[in-house]
Amino acid sequence: MNLMSLTAVELGKKIKAKEVTVEEAVKAALAQIKEVEDSVNSYVTVDEEGALKRAAEVQKLIDSGELTGPLAGVPVAIKDNMCTEGLLTTCSSKILGNFKPTYTAEAVLNLEKAGAVVIGKTNMDEFAMGSTTETSAFGETKNPWDLSHVPGGSSGGSCAAVAAEECSFALGSDTGGSIRQPSSFCGVTGIKPTYGTVSRYGLIAYGSSLDQIGPVAKDVTDCATVLETIASHDAKDSTSIEREDYDFTAALVDNVKGMRIGIPRDYLGEGLDPEVKAAVLKAAEELKAKGAIVEEFDLSLVEYAIPAYYIIASAEASSNLARFDGVKYGYRTENFDGLHNMYKKTRSEGFGAEVKRRIMLGSFVLSSGYYDAYYIKALRTKALIKKAFDKAFEKYDVILGPAAPTTAPKLGDSLSDPIKMYLGDIYTISVNLAGLPGISLPCGVDSKGLPIGLQLIGDCFMEKKIIQAAYAYECTRAYERCEIAKKGDK
C-alpha cells in the first residue's frame, strides 16, 4: 500500500486505527520526496529531522487519546511565505535566503495543534508574484503531469507537491488566484476562503487586502477538513473575522437539487481554450443532471478586473516590501558606501526582476499626481466589481466557470511575456477583489494529457455552498472513473 496515494483523511483514519504509525506516514512522504524532488523541485526546505522528531511526539499524543482529529499524524507541506519558528522561511527570494522566524503563523499553529506533521516548506514565485513558480530564486518548479510544463503559481510548489504525492496535503496562499490556478494546472483541489476566515498572522504580506491562506489537497473532503482546522478568529490579525460556523465538513453532501448555478457569459468568450470550455460546460451539464438549475448570465466588469488588481496589488506590495532593506533581517549587500547605498544595493541584489517590476509599478501609482488617476480609480473599480457579484448572488447560489483560460503552459512561455502571464489570471482575480470564496477542482484533461480545472465561486461566508457543489460534482467524477476502471478490467 502506497501511503502517499491515500487522501489526508484516509491516512488519518488508518493512523487512528493503528494500521499505520505516524513515523511510517512521515517516512513515506520523505521517501517520495527523495525519489522525485530532483525532477519536480517542489520544496525549498525539507525538515527531515524535525518531522521525524515531531512524528514521535504526535504518536504519543494519539496513543494517549489527546489527539483524536482527522489530521493527526498526517504529513503536510507549507508554502514558504508562512512563518515557521526556527525553520527557514524565504518567500523563495534571495533577500530572505537566511531568515528563520521567531514565531509560527497562526494557520500553521492550528494544524500543529491538530497533530499534522510539517515536513517542509514549498517553492513559490518570489514573494508570491507570478503565475508559474518560475520567478523563485531557488529554481523553477515543474508540473508532475509533464515536466516540460509549469505547475502554475504562486503556490505551484504546494500544488506540485500534492500532485507528486510528496505530502498528503499542503497550505498555499491566494492573492489573485495563487491557490486555484496552480490547483487547476496540477490536477488537485484547492480552496481560497472568504477574506478574513483564516488568520494572516505570520503570512509574509504581498497584497494585504487580497491575501488569504487556504488548503491544497487531493479531493474536496480533504480541503473541507483542512479548512475547518485552520479557520479561526485571531486577535493578532485585524482583518480576521469571527464566524459563527466553521463546520465546513457538514457540506460534504451529494445533493445539488434546486441549487441555482450561474455561468458568466463573460467567462466563455475570447481567450478561452476550446478544450477547457468544453470540459467546464460538461461539468455544468453533469450538475444540471443531478438537479441543479444552471443558466448563463452577464456578470459585467470582468475586463476591468486585471488592471484594477495589478494596480492595487502592486501598490500594496511596494509598501509591504519596503521593510526588506538589509537592516532588520535577511540579506545585506557585502560592499556599500553609506546607508542609502546599502539600501539600494541590498534591494537591487536581493529582489528578482518580477518583484522589482511590481514594486516600481506600485510606487508609480501611489506617487503624487498619479494616486487619484490610478490607485483611487482602481479602488472604485474594486467596489463596482463587488457590487456586480452581490447582484449575481441575489439570483444564484454558486457561480461556475474555468479556473484558468488554458491548461499549464510550457516552461519559459509566460516569463517571456509578462502581460500574457497577467492575463492568465482573468477568472480568479475578481474573487480576491471581492473577498469571495472559490474552489478549483479537476474536471478533465486536454488532448496533451494536462489537467483542466473547474472553478466554483460563492458569496461571502458561503464556503459550504461551493463545497457542496464541488463534492456533488466530484462524486459524479468518481463514479465515472470507477466505471472506466471496470471496463478496463473486462
Side-chain angles (χ1 to χ4, degrees):
M1 176 178 58
N2 182 0
L3 297 180
M4 288 297 97
S5 293
L6 299 172
T7 68
V9 170
E10 287 169 348
L11 181 56
K13 283 178 181 174
K14 288 191 176 293
I15 291 169
K16 194 185 290 186
K18 302 196 185 303
E19 294 174 31
V20 176
T21 67
V22 180
E23 185 182 11
E24 285 172 339
V26 170
K27 281 185 173 177
L30 293 170
Q32 180 68 358
I33 290 168
K34 283 175 184 171
E35 186 172 327
V36 305
E37 188 55 18
D38 284 347
S39 56
V40 177
N41 194 33
S42 294
Y43 287 86
V44 172
T45 303
V46 178
D47 184 23
E48 183 171 349
E49 186 182 340
L52 289 170
K53 183 184 174 187
R54 177 63 177 158
E57 294 169 359
V58 170
Q59 187 68 63
K60 286 178 184 175
L61 293 170
I62 291 171
D63 293 343
S64 68
E66 288 181 60
L67 280 175
T68 58
L71 300 177
V74 179
V76 57
I78 307 295
K79 187 175 179 179
D80 206 24
N81 61 348
M82 295 174 216
C83 290
T84 42
E85 186 179 350
L87 186 62
L88 205 61
T89 301
T90 70
C91 275
S92 288
S93 178
K94 181 180 176 181
I95 209 159
L96 283 179
N98 60 358
F99 176 57
K100 290 185 178 179
T102 56
Y103 68 101
T104 297
E106 188 72 11
V108 180
L109 275 179
N110 287 344
L111 281 181
E112 290 181 336
K113 286 174 192 170
V117 180
V118 175
I119 53 172
K121 308 295 288 294
T122 57
N123 204 8
M124 56 185 280
D125 281 302
E126 186 182 5
F127 281 101
M129 298 181 193
S131 306
T132 61
T133 313
E134 291 177 285
T135 68
S136 167
F138 303 102
E140 63 205 13
T141 297
K142 298 178 178 71
N143 193 320
W145 287 71
D146 185 333
L147 297 175
S148 66
H149 289 254
V150 304
S154 63
S155 304
S158 288
C159 294
V162 173
E165 299 184 341
E166 296 177 277
C167 59
S168 296
F169 70 98
L171 288 189
S173 66
D174 194 310
T175 306
S178 290
I179 288 173
R180 290 160 290 145
Q181 182 251 37
S183 292
S184 170
F185 285 179
C186 291
V188 295
T189 303
I191 292 181
K192 180 258 166 196
T194 303
Y195 184 77
T197 297
V198 178
S199 171
R200 291 189 301 110
Y201 178 77
L203 174 68
I204 297 172
Y206 163 24
S208 304
S209 71
L210 306 165
D211 298 338
Q212 188 62 190
I213 294 170
V216 176
K218 289 185 175 74
D219 65 5
V220 178
T221 300
D222 276 6
C223 275
T225 304
V226 176
L227 182 58
E228 203 169 282
T229 305
I230 62 175
S232 65
H233 177 251
D234 182 11
K236 298 184 294 298
D237 174 10
S238 63
T239 61
S240 178
I241 294 167
E242 190 164 6
R243 296 179 56 159
E244 292 178 8
D245 183 10
Y246 292 98
D247 187 14
F248 300 114
T249 51
L252 296 169
V253 180
D254 183 11
N255 180 16
V256 288
K257 196 169 183 181
M259 183 178 280
R260 299 162 300 165
I261 298 175
I263 306 173
R265 290 189 189 93
D266 323 61
Y267 285 10
L268 303 176
E270 189 181 348
L272 180 62
D273 183 275
E275 289 184 281
V276 174
K277 182 178 180 178
V280 167
L281 291 177
K282 187 185 175 200
E285 286 302 314
E286 287 172 2
L287 286 169
K288 191 175 181 179
K290 294 187 100 165
I293 301 158
V294 181
E295 62 184 49
E296 292 184 12
F297 75 104
D298 293 315
L299 181 60
S300 77
L301 298 170
V302 170
E303 63 189 295
Y304 302 111
I306 287 178
Y309 167 82
Y310 277 101
I311 287 170
I312 293 167
S314 297
E316 293 182 5
S318 74
S319 174
N320 282 324
L321 270 61
R323 70 193 70 173
F324 303 109
D325 54 13
V327 176
K328 307 173 193 71
Y329 38 71
Y331 172 79
R332 179 186 292 181
T333 187
E334 290 182 6
N335 302 305
F336 55 89
D337 180 20
L339 184 65
H340 284 95
N341 183 250
M342 189 271 285
Y343 287 159
K344 189 187 294 184
K345 286 191 72 180
T346 294
R347 289 167 67 82
S348 294
E349 294 167 13
F351 289 135
E354 184 60 32
V355 174
K356 289 175 185 172
R357 184 183 291 118
R358 298 195 194 193
I359 289 173
M360 286 191 290
L361 175 61
S363 300
F364 172 78
V365 299
L366 289 175
S367 62
S368 177
Y370 296 101
Y371 184 84
D372 290 340
Y374 292 103
Y375 185 64
I376 295 297
K377 197 175 284 185
L379 290 180
R380 287 176 181 150
T381 304
K382 178 185 177 184
L384 290 172
I385 288 168
K386 178 67 170 71
K387 276 187 182 178
F389 274 109
D390 288 344
K391 187 178 178 184
F393 285 120
E394 287 174 8
K395 189 172 183 183
Y396 303 108
D397 298 306
V398 171
I399 291 173
L400 179 150
T406 64
T407 52
K410 285 208 161 194
L411 288 160
D413 283 2
S414 297
L415 281 190
S416 61
D417 185 356
I419 300 299
K420 185 179 177 183
M421 180 173 71
Y422 299 166
L423 291 172
D425 298 332
I426 185 143
Y427 303 122
T428 53
I429 276 171
S430 299
V431 175
N432 298 79
L433 289 171
L436 306 171
I439 184 169
S440 171
L441 69 159
C443 68
V445 292
D446 69 3
S447 54
K448 299 190 288 285
L450 294 167
I452 297 170
L454 170 71
Q455 182 178 209
L456 298 168
I457 303 165
D459 201 358
C460 285
F461 310 115
M462 292 297 166
E463 280 87 353
K464 282 189 170 184
K465 286 186 178 176
I466 60 171
I467 289 169
Q468 185 175 339
Y471 182 74
Y473 174 67
E474 190 177 73
C475 287
T476 305
R477 291 266 297 158
Y479 174 77
E480 278 181 7
R481 286 194 293 271
C482 183
E483 289 302 302
I484 289 166
K486 281 179 187 174
K487 286 175 185 174
D489 290 339
K490 288 178 182 176

